[in-house]
Amino acid sequence: VLVVGSEHALGALEAAWQLLAEGADALDAVVAATRLVEDDLAVHSVGTGGYPNLTGTVELDASVMEGTNRRAGAVAALSGFTHPVSVAREVMERLPHLLLVGDGAACFATEIGAERGELLTAEAEAHWRDGVARARASAGDGLLDQARALTADPSGSGGTVDVLALDGRGHIASAVSTSGWAFKWPGRVGDSPLPGAGNYCDDRYGAAGCTGFGELAIRAGTARAVVDALARGATPQRAGIEALEDVWRLVSPGAGAVMDVVVLDRHGRHCGLSTERGRHYVWRDAGVGGPVLAERVVVGRAGGQLRCPPSAGGGTLPGA
Ligand code: ASP
């Protein structure tokens, strides 16, 4: 029994852990934790309080996946509803579909009575107004020019919450929720709601969740690549290294990749990895008194040196 998450899950991890310790299903635990982060106004990249898109609307992406039979549900570009992760779960439970977007997702959310709310906080709106004013001044009034100015740096993509859990029956589930890249183009869909890209889960092997530059995770199929490596017998660390090295192959020399993964295998081994230094992930099991904030393994460009924090075995690993 174990729960692992991206850094934004820190404040919600204990709740997921308590549920698992009381015998809850992995899916209930990951959804409960994700909902808490969606309500946290201090997290500007998930749920209420998330930064809006280019035109000032908060559009949310979320997905859930169950490892038992790889069922999944997802919503993308959903506005006006406070818990996209729960809407994603209901898509999985109530429809023969997997992913609903925009107005269609909102129509479904209305139909099931999902909780509505104002997602744009005063703080997030001020951030958006500042950004747009700066972009207007430097790039002009054209929306495309502003978009280029505001989304030039993928490290400003924001963050996401990933929660992966292994329950007492050996089932694994994963949930991912995000407001996506701040100033994204309206209707832009990232990796978070796409099984295989930002979220993947299979009881036979394990689970993975991504944060960072979603377009890269979509192109590389990062979460699925991690689980495929677990299936071939790789450790979570090795699986994450291989997947992030593959992400680096998509990035032109001199540019940053900004991609993070959290990995949990069916034996309860876990690892967090990032293309950047100084990133963290969180985990909780019966062996510790509370959530642990752990440093992520840093993965450089393929062929480069891979630096490992002491918590992940220490030292420097040979390049690929
Ligand atoms: N992966 C998310 C997206 O591309 C954003 C992030 O994690 O920073 O929408």
Side-chain angles (χ1 to χ4, degrees):
V1 175
L2 172 73
V3 57
V4 179
S6 58
E7 190 166 355
H8 284 320
L10 179 62
L13 218 62
E14 194 60 16
W17 164 255
Q18 287 301 336
L19 284 170
L20 290 169
E22 287 159 14
D25 288 342
L27 182 64
D28 288 330
V30 297
V31 168
T34 303
R35 288 175 60 96
L36 292 174
V37 185
E38 290 175 341
D39 281 336
D40 186 343
L41 303 188
V43 177
H44 295 303
S45 50
V46 180
T48 310
Y51 287 147
N53 66 13
L54 189 59
T55 53
T57 303
V58 182
E59 287 186 335
L60 304 176
D61 294 350
S63 63
V64 296
M65 189 155 182
E66 268 191 317
T68 316
N69 50 9
R70 287 180 283 164
R71 288 203 309 161
V75 291
L78 175 64
S79 286
F81 293 87
T82 49
H83 291 296
V85 73
S86 293
V87 182
R89 181 184 184 158
E90 294 304 317
V91 171
M92 177 175 86
E93 307 279 11
R94 300 198 200 194
L95 292 176
H97 309 315
L98 190 152
L99 169 63
L100 300 180
V101 305
D103 289 347
C107 167
F108 174 75
T110 303
E111 213 48 41
I112 64 169
E115 200 181 326
R116 284 176 185 277
E118 176 55 62
L119 301 174
L120 185 64
T121 58
E123 201 184 337
E125 187 176 357
H127 175 86
W128 170 72
R129 285 193 188 286
D130 281 357
V132 168
R134 268 186 288 112
R136 280 221 171 99
S138 66
D141 283 338
L143 215 50
L144 269 173
D145 298 319
Q146 287 172 31
R148 265 194 293 273
L150 287 165
T151 53
D153 178 8
S155 68
S157 66
T160 290
V161 63
D162 304 323
V163 186
L164 318 174
L166 174 63
D167 69 24
R169 285 169 291 281
H171 296 312
I172 302 174
S174 51
V176 180
S177 182
T178 189
S179 51
W181 197 339
F183 303 107
K184 65 190 176 183
W185 194 270
R188 177 267 191 183
V189 175
D191 58 320
S192 308
L194 303 180
N199 183 359
Y200 203 72
C201 178
D202 186 331
D203 279 2
R204 295 172 298 173
Y205 314 118
C210 299
T211 55
F213 190 171
E215 282 73 2
L216 293 178
I218 297 171
R219 288 164 64 196
T222 301
R224 172 71 197 233
V226 169
V227 175
D228 279 351
L230 295 176
R232 291 195 305 272
T235 61
Q237 179 172 319
R238 189 69 231 163
I241 287 170
E242 285 177 18
L244 289 186
E245 284 186 344
D246 193 44
V247 166
W248 273 116
R249 291 186 185 99
L250 308 179
V251 181
S252 20
V258 202
M259 176 56 56
D260 306 333
V261 292
V262 285
V263 189
L264 165 66
D265 79 4
R266 71 186 176 92
H267 308 292
R269 296 180 300 184
H270 54 86
C271 189
L273 305 97
S274 178
T275 57
E276 303 279 290
R277 289 168 179 274
R279 305 266 179 147
H280 295 84
Y281 78 110
V282 295
W283 59 276
R284 167 73 154 108
D285 69 11
V288 289
V292 176
L293 182 70
E295 219 178 311
R296 290 183 188 245
V297 172
V298 180
V299 180
R301 273 181 193 276
Q305 290 291 296
L306 308 171
R307 291 167 299 276
C308 257
S311 58
T316 300
L317 297 178

